Amino acid sequence: MKKTLLFVLIVSLMLGAFSLVSAQDEVSGDLEIFSWWTGGGEEAGLNALIARFGELYPDVNVINSAVAGGSGVNAKAVLVTRMLGGDPPDTFQVHAGEELNALWVAAGRVQPLNDIYEENGWFDQFPAGLIDMISDDMGNVYVVPVNIHRSNVMWYVPGNLEMWGVDVPADLDEFLTVTCPALQEQDVVPLAIGENWTQSHLWESIALAVLGPEGYSGLWNGETSFTSDEAIAVWEAYGQALDCGNEDMNALSWQDASQMVAEGGAAFNIMGDWAAGYFLVDLALEPNVGFGWAPAFGTDGSFMMLSDSFGLPIGAPNPDAVRAWLSFLGTAEAQDLFNPVKGSLPANITADIGNTELYNAYFQSAYEDWTTNDIVASQRHGAAVPQAFDSGFLDIIAGFQGDHDAASAAANTAVLAIQTGVGQ
Ligand code: GAL
């Protein structure tokens, strides 16, 4: 009896191994991966994934067609042209949440991936809230998330703050009324700010600080009016924060603004934790020495989240290779290769986040906050609002830079929300 069992076990193991090998052998051809991760902290993670995937699937030829431009400002436009022009890439980067749902899922342009989730047991390995963000009402799930990023992080160099005699501000008010003037008196730029989209990134952290997690989320679910006194106060505080920034902000990428802090040209920068990837990998800085971090002023206790994910467009030239790629992306192995260099937390809860060799002090503190804070969705990075709102909002941000008119920016945002179905 025992022998028979053993035999059955050996044969099934062999068959299992054989089917894995043969499945991998069968997958071949080109696999075009579309993203906006082109370098300066963004590319390393993608390259780590591609390298391991290449070992697992040696007959697949990966074409990395990343389009430069932080936060996908250029890539998303190229993607729309390609998808609507009948020329989809095999797989593309998209944010979990409304960026995915309001456009690609609503237009029926991406395939459900439930079978991949079931085969891999992923319905139990990704947080339920995240699965919810990438599924429709019928329970069809459309993408595989590679990470959890945090948007509301404030970066600085501990030794520089000491040298300038300033503390990490406890809240927004302290930053605007104490820290910013103290630094300006010493001719130090208090806040490094970059191009247009990074300004809207700053705006969402200030909105969270002024409105609190419930009030902030209320903007997107309709419970906070865009023209309320509180919402106008967000614009006023945002205008004051812009006045604490560098004059050449429109000319700087997010990496330039992060670098300004690392090199002592500015005291603080508010950016997502892809900046940790940039500090760690590109600038080879040590956490808590070369760079320090805190929740963006006034947002302590809240974790503003977003998640990068990949899907399978309908009409993708090589769906078998995409399915192999996606089946790899969600594994703990892939997530542990990617996230320590990308600056994000693994989305798969079976990944090795407890391993402090792999996930240093920054990740440990982000993980602590992720598991204990109020979670809110990033507006800027596609979690809370559709792409249509985001494009219009970038114009409002640009207009506000010119006139600093809080009431009119608030009114324009209210109109944009109606036009794009936000909070309705
Ligand atoms: C975000 C994206 C991150 C990072 C960042 C800067 O939208 O989710 O992964 O790439 O843009 O480009």
Side-chain angles (χ1 to χ4, degrees):
M1 181 61 185
K2 272 190 184 156
K3 273 191 182 161
T4 325
L5 255 180
L6 193 66
F7 177 73
V8 170
L9 192 69
I10 291 172
V11 169
S12 54
L13 278 176
M14 282 171 64
L15 282 176
F18 175 75
S19 65
L20 189 69
V21 170
S22 63
Q24 292 183 351
D25 283 350
E26 275 162 22
V27 183
S28 62
D30 290 344
L31 171 69
E32 189 194 2
I33 301 171
F34 186 92
S35 77
W36 58 84
W37 292 331
T38 53
E42 310 209 285
E43 198 179 22
L46 179 61
N47 283 346
L49 290 173
I50 292 174
R52 179 65 183 134
F53 181 75
E55 287 169 7
L56 294 171
Y57 295 91
D59 295 334
V60 176
N61 173 41
V62 170
I63 300 169
N64 177 358
S65 41
V67 174
S71 166
V73 278
N74 303 324
K76 287 180 206 169
V78 174
L79 182 66
V80 168
T81 310
R82 289 192 53 179
M83 291 284 281
L84 301 185
D87 175 32
D90 286 302
T91 184
F92 64 87
Q93 177 188 357
V94 63
H95 287 122
E98 288 305 279
E99 184 178 309
L100 165 72
N101 300 325
L103 184 53
W104 303 122
V105 174
R109 298 282 178 153
V110 278
Q111 305 244 9
L113 305 171
N114 293 46
D115 54 340
I116 295 185
Y117 273 71
E118 270 149 24
E119 273 158 29
N120 290 284
W122 288 348
F123 281 114
D124 298 322
Q125 292 183 14
F126 287 87
L130 181 57
I131 299 248
D132 201 40
M133 287 175 74
I134 54 176
S135 306
D136 65 15
D137 292 346
M138 317 282 288
N140 294 313
V141 58
Y142 288 95
V143 285
V144 176
V146 286
N147 63 5
I148 304 288
H149 261 310
R150 185 178 195 177
S151 156
N152 61 319
V153 193
M154 182 163 66
W155 308 95
Y156 55 89
V157 178
N160 288 349
L161 297 194
E162 213 172 295
M163 179 172 77
W164 296 319
V166 296
D167 294 325
V168 174
D171 54 30
L172 178 57
D173 195 50
E174 181 178 332
F175 176 75
L176 295 175
T177 61
V178 179
T179 322
C180 173
L183 288 161
Q184 281 174 333
E185 262 167 39
Q186 304 175 60
D187 281 333
V188 177
V189 173
L191 195 58
I193 305 177
E195 59 185 312
N196 178 250
W197 77 261
T198 77
Q199 297 160 26
S200 91
H201 185 105
L202 171 64
W203 186 92
E204 73 177 6
S205 268
I206 291 181
L208 178 58
V210 173
L211 301 171
E214 230 184 285
Y216 167 83
S217 301
L219 291 172
W220 322 123
N221 65 27
E223 278 170 23
T224 304
S225 155
F226 283 99
T227 49
S228 60
D229 289 349
E230 296 75 30
I232 294 173
V234 172
W235 285 101
E236 281 160 356
Y238 170 68
Q240 288 173 270
L242 283 185
D243 292 339
C244 296
N246 41 302
E247 274 172 16
D248 62 348
M249 60 182 77
N250 291 345
L252 303 193
S253 66
W254 71 263
Q255 291 97 333
D256 295 333
S258 300
Q259 193 177 14
M260 219 175 143
V261 170
E263 292 181 348
F268 297 98
N269 170 236
I270 290 181
M271 189 38 59
D273 49 11
W274 41 93
Y278 176 62
F279 291 140
L280 291 166
V281 178
D282 291 68
L283 303 189
L285 300 176
E286 217 184 297
N288 282 322
V289 181
F291 70 99
W293 62 89
F297 32 59
T299 67
D300 199 6
S302 296
F303 188 111
M304 174 127 49
M305 68 79 66
L306 60 122
S307 169
D308 294 304
S309 67
F310 286 81
L312 171 53
I314 286 169
N318 193 351
D320 288 345
V322 183
R323 299 179 75 80
W325 168 248
L326 298 176
S327 302
F328 165 64
L329 280 191
T331 61
E333 183 197 6
Q335 308 237 331
D336 285 336
L337 284 170
F338 177 75
N339 290 296
V341 284
K342 184 66 171 67
S344 35
L345 297 172
N348 183 322
I349 59 171
T350 70
D352 205 8
I353 183 68
N355 179 346
T356 53
E357 302 278 301
L358 203 54
Y359 292 100
N360 64 34
Y362 173 71
F363 300 96
Q364 296 306 320
S365 88
Y367 184 67
E368 167 72 22
D369 289 353
W370 167 243
T371 47
T372 55
N373 280 192
D374 288 323
I375 306 296
V376 297
S378 164
Q379 170 252 311
R380 169 66 217 128
H381 302 279
V385 296
Q387 209 162 302
F389 179 91
D390 181 52
S391 322
F393 192 70
L394 289 176
D395 292 341
I396 295 174
I397 285 284
F400 181 82
Q401 198 183 33
D403 61 18
H404 273 47
D405 185 338
S408 105
N412 288 338
T413 311
V415 172
L416 176 65
I418 294 168
Q419 284 168 339
T420 56
V422 167
Q424 304 308 307

